[in-house]
Amino acid sequence: MTLESVFSASDYQSIVSINIFIVLLSACIVIGHLLEENRWMNESVTALVIGLCTGGVILLTTQGKNSKILVFSEDLFFIYLLPPIIFNAGFQVKKKQFFRNFMTIVLFGAVGTLISFVIISLGAISLFQRLGFEGLELGDFLAIGAIFSATDSVCTLQVLNQDETPLLYSLVFGEGVVNDATSVVLFNAIQTLDLEHLDSMIILKFIGNFLYLFASSTLLGLFAGLLSAYIIKKLYFGRHSTDREVAIMILMAYLSYMLAELLDLSGILTVFFCGIVMSHYTWHNVTESSRITTKHAFATMSFIAEIFIFLYVGMDALDIEKWRIASQSPVKAVSISSTIIGLLMVGRAAFVFPLSYLSNLSKKAGRPKITFREQVTIWWAGLMRGAVSIALAYNKFTIWGHTQLPSNAIMITSTIIVVLFSTLVFGILTKPIVRLMLPKRHLTREVSINSDPPSPKSIFTPLLNNDQEVEPVPDTNQNMLRPSSLCMFLTIPTRSVHHYWRKFDDAFMRPVFGGRGFMPIVPGSPTERSVHDGELA
């Protein structure tokens, strides 16, 4: 009995697709390992190239008739692939650096995204008509601004080191997450905007809806993280099984994302802040073996999902249906893509350099400022577009991945060209540019002056050890300069928000939700044995 007689044709095709992806994922991991020290390549570019080659082989073997075997699906992307990536980003972020630069991150990720959105939308309205491209309405142009405001800084983050360049890494990483959330929230808000009766009230309602989505999504993520910490602390799963601890953490994180999608909120923001809260409270409430397991489980799921996405995008880039529809005007598709790339570069420069200047003005003496070389690196890091742009474009210009309208097909193919060009060209040049902008002597200086000591690499070291540092006690006998003017007053170090939050956290939050210093003692665990031995001594 053959396999074809057991399964239907569609089931057999699905099994073939799954086997192809497993083989390709394994190949990407092996080739990425071999190219680890390569100056030009990284795993994102490698996965995209392998996806393109595989898609070409599929087209050749099926004689151009079966390009749909691995078609891109925005539902698969948003429901299954994106959550583990964003959650792991929040779970493993160095919170001290992230929140120390939180205002700058919000400036880049939220305000900067809005500036880029306006420039891309207005540029598209003005330039597309000059290129003779018609068939789009005002809502489509606004959607284009939101679609191409979504950055993909994966290539840059693979080159940067969190210990060598803590300030730059936290800015690029934090902006990437906030930017994706802002773009998705902006895109969803535009879909509900009544553009036919546009007035001041509609605009105010749009702004209110945008702020509501941002705040509600964040609060939902905080609530889900605190709930998971409270449940694990009170029910004490570690007494019987560490598997239950790991399972409840994974399920609660995914539940937060799906609840946000169910309530039409931003799942990206929700699951990101859920990851931050879980790393601060929940992770300390589980046993040592569960901590090691969750650390590597979340990182592995995120790693596989990232490679999967780039493979997916590379294969679907050769979707023959949309290229046939858009082939009626190939010159127009190329000109539209070139225009969008130009708008991306202008729109990003329009906020990176001015907002960096404002951020440097607001920083007190002794705090690291964003140098011009770092500003260029941040500008370059946001030029790449990835799966978020692809997913939003498919959501806007296709119905279940299909389209018969020439204007929509041109927008889909233009989006694919922009993603491929930015990822391959800009991505390949990322390593040389980062090394040019941030030479070794610059990295050494930043490590010694502006950052915490490098994190130990042992898997037995607590993941978020930067939170375990004890704040230095100020010397009360040291003479302090009294401010003689408002300018001097603003530059004298004062108690930070982080300091007062730590006091509130130790006094109220950790006794209720657990965390470092308040985790339960599990019988038979290393913690329990050490406490018992201490009592005997």
Side-chain angles (χ1 to χ4, degrees):
M1 181 179 294
T2 62
L3 189 63
E4 291 87 346
S5 63
V6 177
F7 298 100
S8 64
S10 59
D11 293 333
Y12 178 76
Q13 193 176 56
S14 299
I15 293 176
V16 171
S17 301
I18 292 173
N19 277 276
I20 291 174
F21 265 113
I22 292 175
V23 172
L24 292 177
L25 286 171
S26 302
C28 285
I29 294 173
V30 173
I31 296 175
H33 171 72
L34 296 176
L35 297 177
E36 182 71 24
E37 301 300 329
N38 187 275
R39 181 181 179 183
W40 304 97
M41 298 296 288
N42 54 62
E43 286 174 337
S44 301
V45 176
T46 303
L48 192 60
V49 171
I50 292 177
L52 284 169
C53 296
T54 305
V57 171
I58 293 174
L59 281 176
L60 291 176
T61 54
T62 59
Q63 298 180 349
K65 299 179 180 179
N66 200 16
S67 62
K68 289 292 182 182
I69 187 172
L70 295 171
V71 66
F72 186 87
S73 169
E74 64 269 18
D75 291 333
L76 174 63
F77 171 72
F78 279 111
I79 295 177
Y80 300 107
L81 298 179
L82 190 59
I85 296 175
I86 302 299
F87 175 80
N88 185 67
F91 190 77
Q92 303 218 32
V93 67
K94 288 190 174 182
K95 296 190 292 298
K96 176 179 288 188
Q97 278 293 333
F98 180 82
F99 286 105
R100 179 182 294 169
N101 303 301
F102 186 73
M103 293 307 299
T104 306
I105 289 172
V106 171
L107 269 179
F108 286 157
V111 179
T113 302
L114 293 176
I115 295 174
S116 177
F117 160 74
V118 171
I119 292 177
I120 294 174
S121 298
L122 294 178
I125 293 174
S126 174
L127 299 176
F128 283 12
Q129 293 179 351
R130 297 183 181 181
L131 295 173
F133 182 50
E134 300 177 351
L136 299 181
E137 300 176 352
L138 179 59
D140 297 326
F141 287 112
L142 295 179
I144 289 172
I147 289 169
F148 291 104
S149 295
T151 64
D152 187 354
S153 55
V154 173
C155 292
T156 308
L157 290 176
Q158 288 178 350
V159 178
L160 295 177
N161 188 291
Q162 193 167 188
D163 294 320
E164 291 180 344
T165 55
L167 172 63
L168 186 59
Y169 187 95
S170 65
L171 291 179
V172 173
F173 165 79
E175 186 218 341
V177 175
V178 178
N179 167 272
D180 286 343
T182 304
S183 300
V184 174
V185 170
L186 195 60
F187 181 85
N188 293 334
I190 290 172
Q191 306 308 307
T192 61
L193 189 62
D194 186 7
L195 297 173
E196 296 181 358
H197 306 88
L198 192 62
D199 54 21
S200 58
M201 291 303 297
I202 296 293
I203 296 177
L204 289 176
K205 184 179 179 181
F206 169 77
I207 296 174
N209 187 34
F210 179 81
L211 296 176
Y212 163 77
L213 289 175
F214 236 98
S216 301
S217 303
T218 302
L219 291 176
L220 180 59
L222 298 177
F223 174 77
L226 292 175
L227 181 62
S228 68
Y230 187 79
I231 289 175
I232 290 181
K233 181 174 182 289
K234 290 297 181 182
L235 297 185
Y236 208 25
F237 287 97
R239 290 179 300 180
H240 305 295
S241 171
T242 59
D243 297 337
R244 292 190 178 100
E245 291 182 321
V246 177
I248 199 67
M249 289 183 68
I250 295 175
L251 292 175
M252 287 295 292
Y254 191 64
L255 177 62
S256 70
Y257 183 87
M258 295 309 298
L259 276 178
E261 295 298 315
L262 180 65
L263 299 174
D264 293 327
L265 302 176
S266 172
I268 296 177
L269 267 181
T270 298
V271 78
F272 176 71
F273 280 99
C274 179
I276 290 179
V277 174
M278 277 194 173
S279 69
H280 190 65
Y281 297 108
T282 313
W283 189 75
H284 292 279
N285 293 340
V286 300
T287 59
E288 185 69 24
S289 58
S290 295
R291 295 180 196 175
I292 298 171
T293 302
T294 52
K295 171 187 174 180
H296 293 287
F298 294 145
T300 301
M301 288 189 293
S302 173
F303 177 72
I304 294 176
E306 285 183 7
I307 299 178
F308 194 99
I309 286 174
F310 281 100
L311 281 172
Y312 216 49
V313 172
M315 289 182 184
D316 191 65
L318 299 178
D319 180 13
I320 198 65
E321 175 190 333
K322 300 176 184 62
W323 289 104
R324 283 173 179 170
I325 299 174
S327 63
Q328 301 171 5
S329 54
V331 177
K332 189 175 295 184
V334 174
S335 61
I336 293 296
S337 304
S338 303
T339 302
I340 292 174
I341 292 174
L343 291 174
L344 294 182
M345 301 179 75
V346 173
R348 182 145 186 91
F351 76 83
V352 168
F353 298 104
L355 294 183
S356 297
Y357 177 75
L358 292 177
S359 176
N360 289 338
L361 285 180
S362 64
K363 290 185 177 180
K364 299 177 181 180
R367 294 290 301 276
K369 295 186 177 183
I370 309 173
T371 65
F372 179 75
R373 289 176 176 268
E374 291 173 337
Q375 293 176 30
V376 173
T377 305
I378 294 172
W379 172 75
W380 183 268
L383 293 179
M384 285 161 277
R385 296 298 179 267
V388 175
S389 296
I390 289 280
L392 293 180
Y394 271 65
N395 182 276
K396 179 62 180 179
F397 297 107
T398 68
I399 300 177
W400 298 106
H402 299 272
T403 182
Q404 297 297 328
L405 298 176
S407 59
N408 289 357
I410 290 176
M411 283 310 308
I412 292 296
T413 54
S414 299
T415 303
I416 293 173
I417 292 174
V418 170
V419 170
L420 292 179
F421 180 86
S422 63
T423 303
L424 291 176
V425 177
F426 295 157
I428 288 176
L429 294 176
T430 295
K431 279 187 178 180
I433 286 182
V434 170
R435 291 179 180 179
L436 177 65
M437 292 292 104
L438 305 173
K440 287 297 182 181
R441 63 178 182 275
H442 176 76
L443 298 183
T444 305
R445 178 182 60 83
E446 187 168 355
V447 170
S448 61
I449 297 177
N450 296 333
S451 70
D452 300 327
S455 303
K457 301 301 180 183
S458 172
I459 63 174
F460 297 101
T461 303
L463 179 61
L464 300 170
N465 59 352
N466 57 328
D467 280 343
Q468 299 180 10
E469 299 172 358
V470 179
E471 293 187 359
V473 178
D475 185 4
T476 56
N477 295 326
Q478 184 178 0
N479 294 326
M480 298 291 292
L481 290 175
R482 296 185 179 275
S484 58
S485 65
L486 179 61
C487 181
M488 288 184 62
F489 179 77
L490 292 176
T491 57
I492 290 180
T494 58
R495 296 286 190 179
S496 64
V497 176
H498 175 69
H499 169 79
Y500 292 108
W501 159 249
R502 287 294 296 269
K503 294 185 66 175
F504 173 78
D505 191 29
D506 293 337
F508 299 101
M509 298 296 289
R510 291 185 181 180
V512 176
F513 298 103
R516 179 175 54 86
F518 293 89
M519 53 277 199
I521 299 175
V522 180
S525 69
T527 305
E528 191 270 341
R529 287 195 298 270
S530 62
V531 171
H532 182 68
D533 294 340
E535 292 177 350
L536 292 178

